[in-house]
Every structure is written in structure tokens, then in C-alpha cells.
Amino acid sequence: SGHKLFLIARSKERLEKIAKKCRNNGTNVNIIILDITDSHESNKVIKSILKNNYIDIIIACAGVSAGTLEGPESIHQVRKIFSTNTDGVINTIIPVIPQMIKRSAGNIVVISSMAGLLGLSSAPAYSASKGAVRIFADALRSYLSKFNVHVTTVIPGYIKTPMTEVNNFPMPLMITAKKAANKIILAIEQNKS
């Protein structure tokens, strides 16, 4: 309540649904339709937000997966996954870093995955892309700490979402999105790594 929120994604319908929930809780919501794999457009949009706002927290949660259930991953599939999961995260946070350094304040949250710790044979590109953003966030944390800018890397296991609904393999210790969100919020508030 009382905060200004910028929601950025490709799907207007899904953004509107989330924006409505946020507005019902007293949040000032702005939705922006953007393909964050487009570095030029992402930079332009985020810099336009920064003209009249400063960002306290940015959550880079781009993520798609496809897996190898239908056979080996094609080069097109691998590039699409890396473009979203790695480039999308980088395109989201890099434009914000100079302002956070200048203000000596801010939180950057990067969503990785357990698959980014130990590659899954069922999702090689997904695993590698999430490993890349995890290591990128770890390195950023060390660098930005001297500027009082905090970086939290979220490494979720299985969360009940549309992305996991399509999986037809065991997903141990699955939790709800609400439970995951509460854990993430607490970690960000406590500036956990």
C-alpha cells in the first residue's frame, strides 16, 4: 500500500490481472508491455521510468523453460531460453544500477533456480541460464555492497505455477506461490544474499 509499482512483461492480459490485485491493495500500478529480450527497448523503457522515479527494489524474474522431453534441445530453443532467462535479467537490472549507486541505496533481486545449482538433464538450457544469472548476481553482490546496494538471489525449488503444471516428473517439496512469495519478501526485507 502506498507504493508505486511498475509491472513489465509481454502479456497485457496477465499484467492487467496482477495490476488489478495490486490496485485493490492500495498500490499505484503502471503496466508496461515489453519484451525484455530486446536490450535497446528495455534500456529505453527503464531509463524513461528513472527520469521521474527512483527504484527501491527491482525484481528480475524473467524465465521460460522447454526441456528435452521431445528430444534434444534445438539451437533455436536454447537461444530463446538464454535470451529470456539470462539476457532478460541483465537487460532489466543494468540500467538501474547507476542510479542505485548514486543514491547509495537499492535492492536488486534476481530469480534463479535450483536447476542453476545442479544442471537437470531434462532442462539443460534452463539450468545453464539460471546458473548464469545466479553467478552474475553473486558477483554483483560483492561489487555493489560497497555502494550500499543489496543483491538477493532467489533460488526456488518447485513452486506450483503454470510453468510447473506441465511437468510430468516428480517435483519434491513443491510449495505454493504464496508461500514462496512470503519467503522471498522476508529475504529481501532482511537484505539476505
Side-chain angles (χ1 to χ4, degrees), residues 1 7 9 20 22-23 33 45-46 66 70 73 83 86 91 95 99 105 121-122 137-138 146 153-154 160 167 171:
S1 179
L7 299 175
K20 183 178 178 183
C22 295
R23 287 180 183 121
I33 310 304
V45 165
I46 292 170
E70 302 292 320
E73 292 181 300
S83 182
T86 307
N91 293 342
Q99 185 200 62
S121 61
S122 61
D138 290 348
K146 63 186 167 213
T153 309
V154 178
K160 188 166 178 49
N167 294 345
M171 294 179 282

Side-chain angles (χ1 to χ4, degrees), residues 37 74-85 87 125:
T37 65
S74 68
I75 191 70
H76 172 75
Q77 179 176 305
V78 171
R79 286 192 172 133
K80 180 181 177 190
I81 290 169
F82 267 85
S83 182
T84 300
N85 298 5
D87 296 345

Side-chain angles (χ1 to χ4, degrees), residues 1-5 26-29 56:
S1 179
H3 289 86
K4 187 183 287 187
L5 184 64
T27 304
N28 176 347
V29 181
D56 294 311

Side-chain angles (χ1 to χ4, degrees), residues 34-191:
L34 174 68
D35 180 350
I36 47 88
T37 65
D38 183 335
S39 62
H40 175 74
E41 208 47 41
S42 297
N43 189 52
K44 192 168 97 176
V45 165
I46 292 170
K47 290 211 169 159
S48 73
I49 293 169
L50 293 171
K51 281 183 184 174
N52 299 311
N53 303 279
Y54 58 86
I55 295 177
D56 294 311
I57 300 171
I58 187 157
I59 302 174
C61 58
V64 295
S65 185
T68 59
L69 300 177
E70 302 292 320
E73 292 181 300
S74 68
I75 191 70
H76 172 75
Q77 179 176 305
V78 171
R79 286 192 172 133
K80 180 181 177 190
I81 290 169
F82 267 85
S83 182
T84 300
N85 298 5
T86 307
D87 296 345
V89 166
I90 291 166
N91 293 342
T92 303
I93 61 180
I94 293 294
V96 177
I97 290 174
Q99 185 200 62
M100 288 184 169
I101 289 173
K102 187 176 179 182
R103 291 182 53 240
S104 293
N107 288 62
I108 296 170
V109 181
V110 174
I111 309 297
S112 180
S113 169
M114 290 291 284
L117 296 173
L118 179 65
L120 301 176
S121 61
S122 61
Y126 178 79
S127 299
S129 67
K130 289 299 188 174
V133 296
R134 178 184 58 82
I135 292 169
F136 184 72
D138 290 348
L140 268 184
R141 180 181 312 108
S142 297
Y143 173 73
L144 293 174
S145 64
K146 63 186 167 213
F147 301 107
N148 196 41
V149 176
H150 305 283
V151 179
T152 298
T153 309
V154 178
I155 305 175
Y158 293 110
I159 299 173
K160 188 166 178 49
T161 67
M163 193 165 148
T164 57
E165 282 177 5
V166 299
N167 294 345
N168 61 356
F169 51 82
M171 294 179 282
L173 307 173
M174 183 178 283
I175 62 173
T176 65
K178 184 175 177 108
K179 185 172 182 179
N182 288 334
K183 287 176 159 256
I184 294 166
I185 290 166
L186 184 62
I188 295 168
E189 286 174 347
Q190 296 174 347
N191 294 323

